[in-house]
Amino acid sequence: DIEKTITIDNVKFTLFSYSMPKVKFKFVGYAILRKGINNKYKIESFGYGTNLNNDCIIKIGKENHLVLYGMNYKGEIAKIVGKYDNRNYEVNINRDDEFYLKDFKLNEVIENTNSICMNWTLYDNNLNDITNQINREYNEEVLRHYEYYER
């Protein structure tokens, strides 16, 4: 299912969800579509996985955009702060939103856009750090079923 889409110039970043039999949970993936000279969009790349929080850098023209996307596990996450290169990138999340998608224009030029390392901190409505709690619950309640399914 397509959950959210953002358009930056001639590029669409689409967040989609998918599920698997015997795993009662939706995982997320993305597709990057670029508009061609015929004015139609073509899939440039896509990916998916089991991470709650994800990031990628998209080069659009001469600019780089950092895209943060993922899911709001159990609706407990109110704010996510991703730290990269000594800068914070914040995403406020409505508790009713199951998924989030946010882009940031980067000031610096990044040559290898596949090799960023984002540090994530998750906060609840009271701005308490719930990163360890959410990751522990997710690992225990979701990923153990996923790993069992993959065997």
Side-chain angles (χ1 to χ4, degrees):
D1 296 333
I2 294 176
E3 303 296 347
K4 293 184 179 278
T5 299
I6 54 175
T7 303
I8 309 164
D9 293 335
N10 65 336
V11 174
K12 284 187 181 184
F13 188 97
T14 300
L15 171 69
F16 63 86
S17 65
Y18 67 98
S19 56
M20 294 180 289
K22 300 182 183 178
V23 179
K24 296 178 182 177
F25 189 76
K26 290 183 180 178
F27 298 102
V28 295
Y30 72 91
I32 298 173
L33 299 95
R34 195 170 296 268
K35 189 186 285 188
I37 57 173
N38 62 357
N39 235 15
K40 294 184 179 180
Y41 285 92
K42 176 177 122 179
I43 295 176
E44 185 173 272
S45 64
F46 72 94
Y48 60 92
T50 59
N51 292 338
L52 282 174
N53 310 297
N54 304 276
D55 55 75
C56 73
I57 294 179
I58 305 172
K59 188 169 183 71
I60 301 172
K62 294 182 180 181
E63 299 176 344
N64 285 312
H65 290 259
L66 171 64
V67 179
L68 305 181
Y69 63 98
M71 62 191 89
N72 186 0
Y73 186 63
K74 294 186 174 180
E76 294 180 12
I77 304 169
K79 183 177 192 173
I80 296 177
V81 177
K83 188 166 188 156
Y84 169 68
D85 199 28
N86 295 321
R87 285 184 56 195
N88 287 341
Y89 297 92
E90 298 182 7
V91 180
N92 292 314
I93 302 173
N94 183 329
R95 290 188 78 163
D96 296 332
D97 288 343
E98 189 175 0
F99 302 94
Y100 67 91
L101 175 60
K102 175 79 173 156
D103 76 286
F104 300 90
K105 183 177 168 186
L106 296 176
N107 295 329
E108 66 272 10
V109 175
I110 299 168
E111 295 300 324
N112 184 357
T113 59
N114 294 321
S115 66
I116 67 169
C117 184
M118 181 73 69
N119 294 313
W120 297 92
T121 307
L122 313 175
Y123 297 95
D124 65 12
N125 277 336
N126 298 318
L127 296 181
N128 296 312
D129 182 341
I130 57 172
T131 308
N132 292 335
Q133 169 199 335
I134 292 292
N135 288 335
R136 183 178 58 254
E137 289 176 10
Y138 178 70
N139 287 334
E140 291 172 359
E141 297 172 14
V142 176
L143 289 186
R144 70 181 176 93
H145 297 293
Y146 176 79
E147 290 167 358
Y148 175 76
Y149 176 75
E150 287 292 301
R151 289 183 193 168

